[in-house]
Amino acid sequence: MAGQQRVYRQRIRSVQATKKITRAMELIAASRVVKARQRVTESTPYALALTRACSAVATHTNEVHPLTTERENPRRAAVLIITSDRGLAGSYSVSAVKKSAELIEKLTGEGKEVLPYLVGRKAVSYYRFRRREFVQEWTGFTDAPPFEVAREIGEVLTDQFVKGSDDGGVDEVHIVYTRFVNMVTQEPQVVRLLPLEVVSADELGEDEQHHVPDGPLPLYDFEPSTSEVLDALLPRYVTARIYNALLQSAASELAARQRAMKSATDNAEDLIKTYTRLANQARQAEITQEISEIVGGASALADAS
């Protein structure tokens, strides 16, 4: 009985140590997710302005631009997969990878060769463990993505698209990321980035809807020329969309981690209560056995006398 009690006490100490870690991670994620949501909100006006400008260009001109031109018989597609650098975030990374697998299966079924571009160590580990090839990786920043990384990713993907499959590039560019809806809900999303699909304000997320102005859209004048405006505007639009996807994914990652760590902390508390009850039962059994032995010894002495 004493041995069982020691085992339960050791398990209680182990679970208590784990609980301290999960509680600390929960608090850290809770503090960081506030900043992450703020960054998503702050980036929205710029993304909305670029969206409306691109819509105006697409609506009021017939200008042909490499980033807006559909390719005949597209043969190669790039897929940017955004996951996390660290685990302990529930099913966040798994859901994004699963969504990307569905997209890759669809593109492959259409006869297209898929070239994965990975963000986050979880996606890299997934591909390396299964010995699958990918083109390029970006890691070490997923919970607080800098704009410079979004610009770099945008330049790489844009260059590959401009080259086209005939010159070793791609004919389509897709993004798989996790849209932050609220602290409870985060949804994996697929966006075809190139050829350019102008994204409406409704697709930027529920938190950003209050940024959308009412009334008619403004009129635009394109100077010095429509082609030069497109050359300057569309790469910025691509970068802004990638940056918004990174920020949405960062907020989703932290919200998922906070929820997962809270669940782990609650489970640890329940486990400590269970082990405490079992340890008390073992202690009571040990005391009962000791009393029985004392009474039995006293009876034996009395009978002997």
Side-chain angles (χ1 to χ4, degrees):
M1 294 299 179
Q4 288 184 348
Q5 184 181 353
R6 283 195 299 271
V7 170
Y8 289 135
R9 295 300 178 189
Q10 290 174 354
R11 291 180 179 178
I12 290 173
R13 287 193 293 270
S14 176
V15 175
Q16 286 175 338
T18 303
K19 176 186 171 183
K20 290 180 181 179
I21 296 173
T22 57
R23 178 60 177 167
M25 294 186 68
E26 176 190 349
L27 295 176
I28 292 172
S31 64
R32 290 182 176 177
V33 73
V34 176
K35 179 64 175 178
R37 293 183 63 182
Q38 181 181 355
R39 296 182 72 188
V40 171
T41 303
E42 290 174 350
S43 70
T44 299
Y46 182 68
L48 284 175
L50 283 176
T51 299
R52 298 180 70 188
C54 288
S55 298
V57 175
T59 303
H60 296 95
T61 183
N62 294 323
E63 187 75 26
V64 177
H65 192 276
L67 300 187
T68 62
T69 304
E70 293 278 351
R71 306 285 171 81
E72 294 184 4
N73 301 320
R75 295 184 290 108
R76 305 181 82 195
V79 176
L80 178 67
I81 306 170
I82 302 177
T83 62
S84 65
D85 284 322
R86 296 184 295 139
L88 301 178
S91 61
Y92 164 74
S93 293
V94 174
S95 298
V97 171
K98 183 179 179 181
K99 194 73 173 180
S100 69
E102 294 174 358
L103 173 62
I104 291 173
E105 183 179 359
K106 176 185 175 183
L107 295 174
T108 304
E110 296 173 355
K112 300 170 184 174
E113 179 186 356
V114 177
L115 281 68
Y117 291 79
L118 309 180
V119 173
R121 294 191 180 96
K122 287 300 177 180
V124 175
S125 299
Y126 176 87
Y127 271 75
R128 286 179 176 169
F129 180 77
R130 288 161 180 79
R131 298 181 180 179
R132 297 180 181 177
E133 295 183 356
F134 58 90
V135 181
Q136 194 168 344
E137 65 180 79
W138 292 272
T139 59
F141 58 85
T142 58
D143 57 349
F147 183 77
E148 291 73 17
V149 174
R151 180 185 299 158
E152 178 186 344
I153 297 174
E155 290 174 353
V156 169
L157 296 178
T158 301
D159 290 343
Q160 290 297 309
F161 180 78
V162 171
K163 287 170 62 178
S165 58
D166 293 337
D167 296 326
V170 298
D171 300 316
E172 294 179 359
V173 176
H174 301 262
I175 302 179
V176 180
Y177 72 101
T178 306
R179 184 168 72 92
F180 180 86
V181 180
N182 51 50
M183 290 298 296
V184 178
T185 306
Q186 299 85 40
E187 300 175 347
Q189 298 286 321
V190 175
V191 173
R192 197 190 79 172
L193 190 64
L194 296 172
L196 188 65
E197 287 185 333
V198 177
V199 181
S200 65
D202 294 337
E203 297 181 55
L204 291 175
E206 295 179 0
D207 291 342
E208 296 91 343
Q209 296 306 310
H210 62 278
H211 290 288
V212 180
D214 297 327
L217 293 175
L219 296 176
Y220 289 89
D221 290 328
F222 305 114
E223 295 180 357
S225 67
T226 304
S227 61
E228 292 185 51
V229 170
L230 285 172
D231 288 339
L233 189 61
L234 291 177
R236 292 176 180 268
Y237 179 83
V238 171
T239 300
R241 286 298 297 155
I242 293 175
Y243 187 50
N244 183 264
L246 291 173
L247 292 179
Q248 293 270 359
S249 296
S252 299
E253 175 189 346
L254 292 170
R257 180 168 293 115
Q258 179 187 0
R259 191 169 63 252
M261 290 300 97
K262 184 181 186 307
S263 177
T265 302
D266 294 341
N267 291 338
E269 291 177 352
D270 293 340
L271 199 55
I272 289 173
K273 291 178 182 178
T274 300
Y275 282 143
T276 300
R277 184 175 65 252
L278 293 173
N280 291 337
Q281 290 175 354
R283 176 59 178 166
Q284 290 171 358
E286 180 184 352
I287 293 173
T288 301
Q289 182 178 356
E290 290 176 353
I291 292 175
S292 298
E293 291 174 354
I294 293 173
V295 172
S299 299
L301 291 176
D303 293 341
S305 62

